[in-house]
Amino acid sequence: MYRIEKTAVIGAGTMGLGIAGQLANAGVEVLLLDLPSDGPERNAIAARGLERLLDERQPGLLHPEYRHRITIGNVEDDLERLADADWITEAVVERLDVKQALYRRLDAVRKPGSMVSSNTSTIPIALLVDGMPETFRREFAITHFFNPVRFMRLLELVRGEDTRPEVIECLAQFNEARMGKGIVVCNDTPGFLGNRVGVFAIQTALHAAFRLGLKPEAADAIFGRPMGVPKTGVFGLYDLIGIDLMSDVARSLVSILPPDDAFHAVAGEIPVMKRMIAEGRIGNKGGQGGFYRFADPRDATSRQTLDLETFAYRAFERSVPESAARAERAGDPALLIAGDDVYAEYAWDVLSRTLCYAASLVPAVNASLVAIDDAMKLGYNWVQGPFELMDALGVDALLERLEAEGRSAPAFLQQARGRSFYRVGAARLQYLGADGAYRDLERPAGIRRFSEERRTRTPRQQNPAASYYDIGQDVGLVEFHSKANTLDGDSMGLLADAVEHASAHCAGLVIHNDAAHFSCGVNLAGVLAYIDQQDWDGLDAFLAHFQQTVLGMRDAPVPVVAAPAGLSLGGGFEVVLHCDRVIFHANSVTGLVESLVGLVPGGGGVKETLYRWFEHEGDPARAAWQAFKQVGYGKTAHSPVMAQSLQMFREGCDAFVMNRDRMLDQAVRAVQELAGDYRPAGREPLPAAGPAVREAMDAWLQDTHQQGRLGAHDVNVGRQIASIVTGGGVAAGTLLTEEDLLDLERTAFLALARTPETRARIAHMLDFGTPLRN
């Protein structure tokens, strides 16, 4: 009955823009309306908003051309145009009177069978539709997106007492399949799920840090990656969102939560922060800094921390508590609470209170613990949801410690005593229901999360960096799982073994993981160790093994399909480049960025880039120039659509999906599709561009350096890239094999690795996470 082909968004602020942008990314026509401007251009407000979608730092569109799918207007002149929309969603100011006035106007112009929704996170749906006709109430819902809409996966979907089930079903299906969202159906309760738990956790971490007198760096080192939450920590997150805005969020929840809710204990105003807001120290957006700032925004080494006693900025302390370092290395949050120092006390206080709070919401706020876990993983980027964390800590150990302290545990947590919230039963992952019975965890058709499937399978091979699984359907899977999924000898050794096993026993192989990033490249710490030991033979052997592994994967008798999400950079992207087919996530970031650390791609990246450009251009000189500049500048694509123009995405071969949870299913299907009459696709030799082109590249490097657009070492790196892409000195037209180009890559890599400038760049990247220009 309901379908979505044309849409409209009311409100061109941050959230409305994000929703409109993601609708455009999904290939849907969007009408974006805001208030009329007082000036001559009536649609100026919406027009300015549309420009913000093109922000290069965080673009809201997969490609700038997608802006043409968005038509702008204003709510005075263009309201009648909403009659064409199948779905109208509003993201206007969080005031009930404003929203209700808008709904009355919408109902007068919308067509029968169209749906209306609100992006509110604070106003109950019963109040939103109070006084509206039944026909409106039956086709109204809350669609609560998270910011930034393109990148945050969670959509909280809330139905009203009168909302038709078909409306919820249509919105859920469309937003899951087309918009790429993970759907969590919520009851109409304050804060729904994501913000209810997420803001409680943040406030708990903040108040505990002040109570225990922890420095911001120490608190963020604990309430960060070691705990399985984003690396910003709590003080960094306040700076990122805005200290004033986060304070408003806390006050908003105070106003809507029941008086006996535990949130009120961690919502009080902190005097230091009140002073910070008064003085304009509201975080990254304020210009004066917040808890942190950079004395020189261009210098990553100039980070400073606000001394909360003197109110002066001091040098940022980079050392972290040993318990946090151990927990991050081991991937075990239990190590955070194992000690008896102030850091363990802080970790225990934050974890125990947050986990108990989450458990207290079942079943009153939501009957399913899976919904709460999904909300935190998809909406707040937690590695594990609260109930997965309780299993990791041990339910009984958690209960025993709470009882030893005289603290009461929520009934649902006590119900899990002697058990766990998740278990594997009959080769299926099951979860504990509110009634104490286990249920199979079932996802919609096509939705597969390997993080869940992994728990039901035993790896065929495994080492600290990677694992190889049989995932059924005659398909094997390689999962990288080192820190940031960086690649080393273990990673590549397991990949080589998996290719050999799959070639003999499977229809094909998938390379995929559920981590934030597919792979951030070769382990730079390992490369630095080779350099410091001057083990050039060892470094050359590592590179040669990497090259032969990806070539062996490409030339295997069975298809290999990569399914990358997040960052696929450097060596990680070299693995992707050598796969038969790639199923990208729509937000995948890809590129060869080795030049930023004073190196060249040494795992076949330059070779593959040159081949792809030659196949596109048909001319060795033009191909060499394209590869030279692309690799030299370390160009990246922030979506598969953008990657196509850089020959990183092969039209007619590769594909992308909007929903991360559909990648694995699509990759398995691709293996099965290719396996029928599969033949490895080798590479014929290509003609060298020759010395004249190399000399022209050298002249370009010198000229660009003199103009101040390249540093001195950039010229050295560029010369090495030029040597590879032109053939290493052979005459123009000389045929170059893949092995020839791979040898040139290794030679260039080793030459640069011997320079002090490259060592300095690698060390700077490891210490500060930003490039050094030298």
Side-chain angles (χ1 to χ4, degrees), residues 517-540:
H517 304 300
F518 176 78
S519 172
C520 292
V522 166
N523 185 345
L524 286 177
V527 174
L528 189 61
Y530 281 118
I531 292 173
D532 287 344
Q533 295 165 15
Q534 297 189 26
D535 184 5
W536 311 119
D537 289 342
L539 182 55
D540 186 50

Side-chain angles (χ1 to χ4, degrees), residues 503-527:
S503 297
H505 302 286
C506 299
L509 184 68
V510 169
I511 308 175
H512 172 71
N513 59 68
D514 270 347
H517 304 300
F518 176 78
S519 172
C520 292
V522 166
N523 185 345
L524 286 177
V527 174

Side-chain angles (χ1 to χ4, degrees), residues 1-7 23 28 85-88 111 113-117 138-143 145 155 157-159 163-181 183 185 662:
M1 175 181 178
Y2 293 96
R3 64 178 185 176
I4 298 175
E5 294 180 355
K6 294 184 178 182
T7 61
L23 284 164
V28 179
D86 303 306
W87 173 29
I88 305 167
K111 67 182 180 181
S114 64
M115 296 170 288
V116 180
S117 71
R138 294 175 69 183
E139 295 176 328
F140 184 87
I142 288 175
T143 48
F145 293 88
L155 172 64
L157 187 56
V158 186
R159 63 170 297 178
T163 309
R164 281 181 165 176
E166 296 87 351
V167 168
I168 298 298
E169 181 181 353
C170 178
L171 290 171
Q173 290 180 351
F174 176 85
N175 280 282
E176 184 272 305
R178 299 285 297 277
M179 298 279 275
K181 299 304 172 186
I183 309 299
V185 178
R662 290 189 173 273

